[in-house]
Amino acid sequence: MSLDLESQLNLVRDEADVVSFLTSHAGGIDRDDRLGDGKGDAAVYWATVRPRTHPDETYFARFEWFTYPYEPPSIKFATSVRGSLTAPTAWPVVVGYRPQSLDICRPMCREGFATHPEWNQGSTAWPSTGNPFLWVVELVQYHLDNEYESRFA
Protein backbone atom coordinates (compact mmCIF):
# COMPACT_ATOMS: atom_id res chain seq x y z
CA MET A 1 0.00 0.00 0.00
CA SER A 2 1.16 3.51 -0.70
CA LEU A 3 0.90 5.84 2.27
CA ASP A 4 0.49 9.56 1.59
CA LEU A 5 3.35 11.88 2.57
CA GLU A 6 1.41 13.58 5.39
CA SER A 7 0.68 10.19 6.99
CA GLN A 8 4.31 9.12 6.65
CA LEU A 9 5.56 12.31 8.30
CA ASN A 10 2.99 12.05 11.10
CA LEU A 11 3.97 8.44 11.80
CA VAL A 12 7.66 9.28 11.91
CA ARG A 13 6.90 12.14 14.33
CA ASP A 14 4.94 9.84 16.68
CA GLU A 15 7.11 6.74 16.29
CA ALA A 16 9.75 7.76 18.88
CA ASP A 17 7.19 7.68 21.70
CA VAL A 18 6.06 4.21 20.58
CA VAL A 19 9.66 2.95 20.54
CA SER A 20 10.25 4.32 24.03
CA PHE A 21 7.04 2.81 25.40
CA LEU A 22 7.59 -0.66 23.95
CA THR A 23 11.24 -0.72 24.98
CA SER A 24 10.17 -0.03 28.56
CA HIS A 25 7.87 -3.08 28.30
CA ALA A 26 10.51 -5.52 26.97
CA GLY A 27 9.23 -5.12 23.43
CA GLY A 28 10.11 -3.25 20.28
CA ILE A 29 8.83 -2.01 16.95
CA ASP A 30 10.15 -2.02 13.38
CA ARG A 31 8.83 -0.24 10.33
CA ASP A 32 8.48 -2.75 7.51
CA ASP A 33 10.42 -0.71 4.94
CA ARG A 34 13.41 -0.49 7.30
CA LEU A 35 13.93 -4.25 7.56
CA GLY A 36 16.72 -4.14 5.00
CA ASP A 37 15.49 -5.98 1.93
CA GLY A 38 14.08 -3.01 0.00
CA LYS A 39 10.64 -4.65 -0.23
CA GLY A 40 8.97 -3.13 2.80
CA ASP A 41 5.96 -0.89 3.24
CA ALA A 42 6.14 2.41 5.17
CA ALA A 43 2.47 1.90 6.19
CA VAL A 44 3.28 -1.27 8.16
CA TYR A 45 4.87 -1.57 11.59
CA TRP A 46 5.74 -4.78 13.43
CA ALA A 47 5.53 -4.63 17.22
CA THR A 48 7.03 -7.27 19.47
CA VAL A 49 4.95 -7.44 22.64
CA ARG A 50 4.88 -9.62 25.74
CA PRO A 51 2.32 -10.06 28.52
CA ARG A 52 3.68 -8.84 31.85
CA THR A 53 2.62 -12.08 33.59
CA HIS A 54 4.10 -14.34 30.88
CA PRO A 55 7.30 -12.64 29.66
CA ASP A 56 8.39 -15.84 27.91
CA GLU A 57 5.46 -15.46 25.47
CA THR A 58 6.27 -13.23 22.49
CA TYR A 59 3.66 -11.87 20.11
CA PHE A 60 4.18 -10.07 16.82
CA ALA A 61 1.49 -7.47 16.16
CA ARG A 62 1.26 -6.00 12.66
CA PHE A 63 -0.10 -2.45 12.45
CA GLU A 64 -1.05 -1.28 8.96
CA TRP A 65 -1.93 2.39 8.63
CA PHE A 66 -4.07 3.86 5.85
CA THR A 67 -4.35 7.56 6.68
CA TYR A 68 -2.54 8.60 9.85
CA PRO A 69 -3.68 9.94 12.27
CA TYR A 70 -7.20 10.14 10.83
CA GLU A 71 -8.05 6.42 10.59
CA PRO A 72 -7.36 3.43 12.84
CA PRO A 73 -4.85 0.81 11.73
CA SER A 74 -5.55 -2.75 10.83
CA ILE A 75 -4.08 -4.92 13.59
CA LYS A 76 -3.17 -8.56 13.03
CA PHE A 77 -0.93 -10.99 14.86
CA ALA A 78 1.72 -12.93 12.97
CA THR A 79 3.92 -15.94 13.62
CA SER A 80 7.00 -13.65 13.41
CA VAL A 81 7.95 -10.32 11.92
CA ARG A 82 6.70 -10.69 8.34
CA GLY A 83 5.39 -14.13 9.26
CA SER A 84 2.03 -15.67 8.47
CA LEU A 85 -1.02 -13.55 9.29
CA THR A 86 -3.35 -16.55 8.98
CA ALA A 87 -2.26 -18.62 12.00
CA PRO A 88 -4.74 -18.42 14.90
CA THR A 89 -1.95 -19.73 17.18
CA ALA A 90 -0.12 -16.42 16.69
CA TRP A 91 -2.91 -14.70 18.65
CA PRO A 92 -3.25 -14.12 22.39
CA VAL A 93 -6.46 -15.07 24.17
CA VAL A 94 -7.81 -11.66 25.27
CA VAL A 95 -11.41 -10.42 25.41
CA GLY A 96 -12.37 -9.07 21.98
CA TYR A 97 -9.35 -10.58 20.21
CA ARG A 98 -10.78 -13.20 17.85
CA PRO A 99 -8.13 -15.65 16.64
CA GLN A 100 -10.66 -17.72 14.68
CA SER A 101 -11.66 -14.58 12.73
CA LEU A 102 -8.12 -13.14 12.73
CA ASP A 103 -9.35 -9.79 13.99
CA ILE A 104 -9.90 -7.62 17.04
CA CYS A 105 -13.45 -6.58 17.86
CA ARG A 106 -12.70 -3.48 19.93
CA PRO A 107 -12.86 0.25 19.11
CA MET A 108 -9.14 0.55 18.41
CA CYS A 109 -8.65 -0.92 14.94
CA ARG A 110 -10.01 -0.90 11.42
CA GLU A 111 -11.62 -4.31 11.88
CA GLY A 112 -13.48 -3.29 15.05
CA PHE A 113 -14.87 -0.12 13.52
CA ALA A 114 -15.92 -2.02 10.37
CA THR A 115 -17.87 -4.52 12.50
CA HIS A 116 -19.41 -1.83 14.71
CA PRO A 117 -19.93 1.42 12.75
CA GLU A 118 -21.75 2.84 15.79
CA TRP A 119 -18.33 3.05 17.48
CA ASN A 120 -17.40 5.89 15.12
CA GLN A 121 -19.20 8.38 17.38
CA GLY A 122 -19.09 9.33 21.03
CA SER A 123 -16.63 7.99 23.56
CA THR A 124 -15.58 5.08 21.33
CA ALA A 125 -14.68 7.24 18.29
CA TRP A 126 -11.15 7.02 16.90
CA PRO A 127 -8.89 9.63 18.59
CA SER A 128 -7.21 11.44 15.70
CA THR A 129 -5.42 13.99 17.91
CA GLY A 130 -2.41 13.58 20.15
CA ASN A 131 -0.47 10.40 19.37
CA PRO A 132 -2.97 7.74 18.23
CA PHE A 133 -0.11 5.40 17.32
CA LEU A 134 1.06 5.38 20.94
CA TRP A 135 -2.53 5.17 22.19
CA VAL A 136 -3.31 2.00 20.22
CA VAL A 137 0.02 0.35 21.11
CA GLU A 138 -0.59 1.17 24.78
CA LEU A 139 -4.02 -0.47 24.51
CA VAL A 140 -2.58 -3.67 23.05
CA GLN A 141 0.02 -3.78 25.83
CA TYR A 142 -2.63 -3.02 28.46
CA HIS A 143 -4.79 -5.87 27.19
CA LEU A 144 -1.81 -8.24 27.32
CA ASP A 145 -0.84 -7.07 30.81
CA ASN A 146 -4.33 -7.14 32.32
CA GLU A 147 -6.59 -9.46 30.31
CA TYR A 148 -4.23 -12.08 28.90
CA GLU A 149 -5.23 -15.71 29.39
CA SER A 150 -2.94 -17.73 27.14
CA ARG A 151 -1.81 -18.28 23.58
CA PHE A 152 -4.63 -19.50 21.35
CA ALA A 153 -4.26 -23.24 20.80
Side-chain angles (χ1 to χ4, degrees):
M1 171 180 173
S2 179
L3 196 60
D4 65 89
L5 183 58
E6 178 187 3
S7 294
Q8 289 179 44
L9 293 172
N10 288 334
L11 279 166
V12 168
R13 178 197 66 217
D14 289 352
E15 181 182 327
D17 291 335
V18 174
V19 169
S20 179
F21 174 78
L22 285 174
T23 300
S24 73
H25 286 81
I29 195 154
D30 294 298
R31 195 170 80 191
D32 196 57
D33 67 342
R34 294 183 189 149
L35 292 175
D37 63 3
K39 299 178 185 178
D41 186 340
V44 173
Y45 283 81
W46 296 92
T48 302
V49 291
R50 293 177 175 80
R52 175 182 40 81
T53 57
H54 293 81
D56 54 318
E57 286 286 357
T58 302
Y59 291 93
F60 303 97
R62 179 184 185 269
F63 295 82
E64 181 177 7
W65 297 96
F66 298 88
T67 305
Y68 182 79
Y70 309 109
E71 295 179 15
S74 169
I75 304 172
K76 302 284 184 181
F77 284 86
T79 55
S80 63
V81 171
R82 288 197 176 157
S84 172
L85 297 172
T86 61
T89 56
W91 285 72
V93 175
V94 171
V95 174
Y97 289 48
R98 304 184 314 175
Q100 301 95 325
S101 300
L102 303 173
D103 70 4
I104 299 173
C105 191
R106 285 191 159 186
M108 58 186 266
C109 61
R110 188 176 191 91
E111 296 80 8
F113 285 105
T115 303
H116 293 277
E118 69 274 14
W119 287 347
N120 285 303
Q121 297 180 16
S123 64
T124 55
W126 174 250
S128 62
T129 59
N131 187 337
F133 191 1
L134 178 61
W135 178 79
V136 75
V137 168
E138 287 175 336
L139 277 177
V140 169
Q141 186 66 56
Y142 178 86
H143 296 155
L144 287 173
D145 287 349
N146 295 284
E147 300 175 18
Y148 179 77
E149 295 179 34
S150 65
R151 181 176 292 275
F152 186 78

